[in-house]
Every structure is written in C-alpha cells, then in structure tokens.
Amino acid sequence: GEDVEQSLFLSVREGDSSVINCTYTDSSSTYLYWYKQEPGAGLQLLTYIFSNMDMKQDQRLTVLLNKKDKHLSLRIADTQTGDSAIYFCAEGAPNGGATNKLIFGTGTLLAVQP
Amino acid sequence: EAQVTQNPRYLITVTGKKLTVTCSQNMNHEYMSWYRQDPGLGLRQIYYSMNVEVTDKGDVPEGYKVSRKEKRNFPLILESPSPNQTSLYFCASKADRGSTEAFFGQGTRLTVV
C-alpha cells in the first residue's frame, strides 16, 4: 500500500541544524520530494532525490535516502526563523504512475526559536 | 512569471449551494490535478487531468467534479457542498506525465457550514 509518515512537530533553536524524517512504503517510487509550506501559502518544491541516489546536497539542504529502510530525511543547516514552516515529504511513482499523483506525508511543523 | 492561480483564496458557503473553484496555469502544462489538505492526513488527490478533455478520479473524488475544456484551466466543481468538504484545496500542474516538478497554487480555504 501507499503510506508516507512523518513526525508532526519539530522545534529547534536558530543556528542549529534541523532534521526532518519521513518513512514511505512504496518501494517502486522513482522520486522523493520535500515541499515547504509557509503560513497562508502554497507548496514550494525545496528539493527532490532520485531513488537510485543516497544523498543530495543543495546549499543548506541535505537529503539522505536509505532505500533499504525506506527512510528519507531532510537536514537544514544553520536553521533560520524564516525556515519555520510545514515540511511535506512526498513520493512519486515511476513516470508519474497510473494516476500521476504525488503521495504526501502528513507534514512536519518546524518551529525555529530565536 | 510562471504560476498556478486559484480563485477564490477563501470561501465560506452553505450546505448544498453549488460552487466552483477556478485554477489556471500559464506554463502550457499538460498535467493538472486537485488536492485537498486536511490536518493529520497530508494532501490527497481528488482528480487529475492528463490533457484537454482527459480527466480521471484520484483518491477522494466523491462529491467533486472537474472539467478540462482548455489546457490552462482546470476548475473544481462542488455541486452540493457538505461540511465534510471543508478543507484547504490545492491545484497543481506539471509539464507532462514524466516531469519531476509540480507547481502548486496558493490554495483555497473552503468552509461549508
């Protein structure tokens, strides 16, 4: 079945690193995504990783993928108050799959304390 | 500027009164879809469209209709809204089936009383 799980809440201090975790169940997923949702805004694609990769780094963001454990994480270095948002993990089926949908996790609310 | 535009952003309506939420994209994307976001459930797909006049059900289509008469527009229609359709709705588009990046609208917060 399809299921993507995330913890609901994470609180960090400004300047610390944040690690947001996600587990998924569909081993046929081709791409795994991280989206950011700021209050009152739509979803913004932060980064994605292809399923044959272990790691991807993009400035302050590091994505780690453990395909054996179906575990995905997003590390934000030097977290800033502007990083406060809800972060969604999502998986996408090969070539979009039959319905071309993204399967989203429940979202993790990241609160950054000054 | 490339964008997906939804209207309205906020809507309060009464049970049974038909409404339409519009979605328009200016990127000539083939693929468009609608999601609803509910606390503790993430985003779930309602309907999707691979191209003009090609639409199909997602995971939670009950109580919704869509149409795709033009490439840029993909309206979501609630013929007889009910309180359990109170939610935050997102429209998304992708260039085509194989594209990795989906672009999302700003969201429409619907309350049905």
Side-chain angles (χ1 to χ4, degrees):
Chain A
E2 308 160 335
D3 200 11
V4 180
E5 294 188 357
Q6 302 176 237
S7 54
L8 290 179
F9 183 73
L10 175 66
S11 178
V12 300
R13 289 185 186 273
E14 192 172 20
D16 288 349
S17 292
S18 308
V19 179
I20 303 171
N21 294 302
C22 168
T23 58
Y24 62 97
T25 55
D26 189 351
S27 57
S28 66
S29 294
T30 305
Y31 292 97
L32 293 137
Y33 302 84
W34 283 104
Y35 281 85
K36 177 183 181 183
Q37 183 182 32
E38 297 184 50
L43 276 75
Q44 171 197 355
L45 178 65
L46 280 180
T47 187
Y48 63 89
I49 188 168
F50 192 53
S51 59
N52 68 354
M53 297 169 64
D54 297 323
M55 186 183 92
K56 180 178 180 181
Q57 186 151 4
D58 184 1
Q59 298 182 339
R60 291 191 297 124
L61 305 178
T62 303
V63 179
L64 294 177
L65 175 60
N66 181 330
K67 200 169 180 184
K68 173 175 167 288
D69 294 338
K70 297 192 184 76
H71 183 263
L72 182 74
S73 67
L74 173 70
R75 179 176 180 270
I76 306 173
D78 187 25
T79 314
Q80 303 297 307
T81 54
D83 294 324
S84 293
I86 300 176
Y87 290 81
F88 288 94
C89 164
E91 57 175 337
N95 200 26
T99 67
N100 224 277
K101 69 182 176 186
L102 294 171
I103 302 162
F104 285 87
T106 51
T108 299
L109 174 61
L110 174 65
V112 182
Q113 312 299 326
Chain B
E1 182 190 350
Q3 59 186 2
V4 178
T5 304
Q6 294 178 228
N7 278 296
R9 293 288 312 277
Y10 303 91
L11 179 60
I12 301 174
T13 190
V14 295
T15 299
K17 185 176 180 183
K18 180 179 177 180
L19 67 92
T20 300
V21 184
T22 63
C23 174
S24 180
Q25 48 92 4
N26 62 359
M27 296 167 279
N28 201 36
H29 284 174
E30 290 184 356
Y31 176 84
M32 298 182 76
S33 64
W34 277 101
Y35 291 85
R36 60 177 287 174
Q37 181 184 3
D38 300 292
L41 295 175
L43 280 79
R44 294 175 292 167
Q45 192 184 56
I46 303 170
Y47 266 94
Y48 66 97
S49 169
M50 296 285 197
N51 214 324
V52 176
E53 302 290 3
V54 181
T55 64
D56 210 342
K57 297 176 181 178
D59 292 324
V60 288
E62 293 78 20
Y64 305 95
K65 284 172 57 177
V66 292
S67 70
R68 188 89 182 273
K69 293 186 172 59
E70 312 159 276
K71 204 169 188 179
R72 64 183 292 126
N73 295 322
F74 189 46
L76 179 70
I77 303 153
L78 285 73
E79 294 272 4
S80 182
S82 62
N84 66 11
Q85 292 178 297
T86 292
S87 187
L88 179 58
Y89 291 86
F90 286 102
C91 179
S93 74
K94 295 200 299 184
D96 54 48
R97 183 188 179 90
S99 297
T100 53
E101 182 171 4
F103 293 80
F104 283 81
Q106 296 285 80
T108 296
R109 185 165 291 283
L110 172 66
T111 302
V112 183
V113 297

